[in-house]
Amino acid sequence: MGKWDYRLKAVYFIAILDFVEFEEENVKDTCIEQIYLYRKNAQKKLTDKLNMIFVELPKFTKPAEELSTNTE
């Protein structure tokens, strides 16, 4: 099999959710979830060209006065 040599731009899928999709204990307080294609056997990310970002609005509970970064 040949080496991947295409010069594709990265693609970002951004979903704004009005519900909680990821409820695992270690990500309970994180309102932005980033997902990548991952090769389980090689234990490494497959590519930086396909990225998925989920913003779970119910997890974002800071009042406007406490916002301190552009992401917030």
Side-chain angles (χ1 to χ4, degrees), residues 15-47:
I16 310 293
L17 307 178
D18 64 350
F19 58 91
V20 174
E21 179 65 30
F22 306 102
E23 296 189 44
E24 294 88 357
E25 195 64 33
N26 58 336
V27 296
K28 188 165 46 173
D29 297 328
T30 305
C31 63
I32 299 176
E33 185 72 30
Q34 297 183 22
I35 298 176
Y36 307 101
L37 293 178
Y38 180 79
R39 292 183 55 215
K40 184 177 178 181
N41 291 339
Q43 296 186 350
K44 69 178 190 175
K45 191 185 333 181
L46 177 65
T47 180

